[in-house]
Amino acid sequence: CDELLMLYQPKFHVRRQKVTCAEALIRWRHPTRGMIPPVEFIPVAEEAHLIDRVTLWSIRRVIEDQRRMRAAGHDLRLFVNISGQLLSDPAFVSEACALVASSGATLGFEITETSVIRDPVSAIANLQVFADIGIRIAIDDYGAGLSSLAYLKQLPASELKIDKLFVTQLTSSNRDPLIVRSTIDLAHALEMEVVAEGVESHAALALLTVMGCDLVQGFLISRPVSTEALIAFLADESWQPAAGQES
Ligand code: C2E
Ligand code: CA
Ligand code: CA
């Protein structure tokens, strides 16, 4: 795992006007091939049954990075992406719980709905185990895959992330604002907070604010960055999305 590294992308709380949490996004720095994005190696790790080791490494890394952020005065909940197949892996579930419970870390897990559909009974039971020890569950990529309202209601999730597919085109499409608004209302009716991912423009942020979206994540706020860069970003108190430069 020496070649793996973790970057963090902040999630900005719209009403509180501050960064309250961040998502951990893994990278593989290959000695000859350079930086390999997760979309290329996570599926391979899943197929080779190495994803449990990679994810336990991620959780350890995130716990350690949260200690460094706390030492610098920044207490953010950090979210880790969890592959679907791990939700029905009892060895992973108990190791992950032991790591988190013994560390005092404040974490969240991002899971997709599709990952639950594979083995719903054990996935839902294990998500409840995570939620019971204080891990916040976020439903990732909502709207991108197969969605089932039946599962949505049963999941012990407190956060719904609208897929960037609907957010990046928000201000140039006729249909996407309707989908996003009704998703926000649905999530609120289920007592979940809503995160819009892929927020790239001030116009999108403004529309999401009017629609009552709770948190935003995307290049407008920050790209995924190292722990040191995140600490520097959080220390800049003058920073506001309205003043942030577009990259
Ligand atoms: P995801 O969980 O949906 O992560 C969001 C992806 O959107 C990230 O890509 C992020 O860099 C990108 N993104 C963020 N803001 C914007 C924006 O404003 N515009 C656009 N166009 N894109 C934006 P990344 O880091 O390449 O990760 C891709 C996927 O790989 C993730 O999708 C996630 O499913 C998976 N992944 C990343 N880290 C891990 C991990 O530690 N474990 C597992 N199992 N999967 C991971
Ligand atoms: Ca995610
Ligand atoms: Ca996502």
Side-chain angles (χ1 to χ4, degrees):
C1 290
D2 279 359
E3 294 167 6
L4 296 177
L5 69 137
M6 202 55 103
L7 300 182
Y8 295 90
Q9 188 177 38
K11 299 185 186 177
F12 183 77
H13 198 286
V14 176
R15 278 186 311 280
R16 290 159 69 186
Q17 287 289 297
K18 64 182 233 183
V19 172
T20 54
C21 41
E23 176 178 5
L25 293 159
I26 202 166
R27 297 289 181 269
W28 180 12
R29 195 165 28 198
H30 192 277
T32 54
R33 289 167 55 202
M35 206 68 100
I36 304 178
V39 285
E40 284 177 30
F41 71 87
I42 293 291
V44 180
E46 287 174 347
E47 207 142 310
H49 299 286
L50 291 168
I51 192 66
D52 53 340
R53 284 172 53 197
V54 172
T55 307
L56 290 167
W57 175 88
S58 298
I59 294 171
R60 281 192 202 94
R61 179 77 262 156
V62 165
I63 289 170
E64 181 51 38
D65 289 339
Q66 186 170 62
R67 284 204 186 103
R68 291 164 61 201
M69 291 178 202
R70 281 177 177 166
H74 305 292
D75 200 2
L76 305 189
R77 185 182 289 270
L78 299 179
F79 285 79
V80 182
N81 288 283
I82 306 290
S83 295
Q85 72 186 65
L86 296 176
L87 297 181
S88 34
D89 176 344
F92 171 80
V93 173
S94 65
E95 273 191 71
C97 284
L99 273 175
V100 176
S102 66
S103 69
T106 309
L107 300 193
F109 285 172
E110 297 195 359
I111 57 118
T112 63
E113 271 182 298
T114 340
S115 68
V116 173
I117 290 168
R118 209 186 307 202
D119 183 0
V121 175
S122 81
I124 292 170
N126 287 326
L127 287 174
Q128 191 62 56
V129 169
F130 292 138
D132 286 345
I133 65 160
I135 298 171
R136 207 171 150 88
I137 306 297
I139 299 169
D140 207 356
D141 301 343
Y142 185 77
L146 208 55
S147 284
S148 158
L149 291 174
Y151 287 129
L152 195 59
K153 234 183 74 179
Q154 286 181 52
L155 297 177
S158 31
E159 205 170 277
L160 189 77
K161 298 189 76 179
I162 303 177
D163 193 76
K164 52 182 176 294
L165 190 71
F166 304 102
V167 178
T168 48
Q169 310 291 318
L170 192 59
T171 51
S172 58
S173 131
N174 291 323
R175 221 182 41 146
D176 291 355
L178 295 172
I179 296 172
V180 168
R181 174 179 294 232
S182 57
T183 304
I184 292 172
D185 294 342
L186 169 72
H188 285 165
L190 295 169
E191 292 175 329
M192 288 191 268
E193 280 200 308
V194 184
V195 185
E197 57 175 36
V199 177
E200 295 178 352
S201 68
H202 291 108
L205 174 60
L207 191 53
L208 288 160
T209 302
V210 171
M211 289 176 172
C213 184
D214 303 289
L215 294 122
V216 293
Q217 183 183 1
F219 297 164
L220 178 69
I221 311 296
S222 168
R223 287 184 179 262
V225 294
S226 68
T227 308
E228 295 72 38
L230 181 65
I231 290 171
F233 175 85
L234 295 169
D236 181 3
E237 284 176 8
S238 65
W239 184 88
Q240 286 291 310
Q245 326 98 325
E246 224 149 316
S247 36

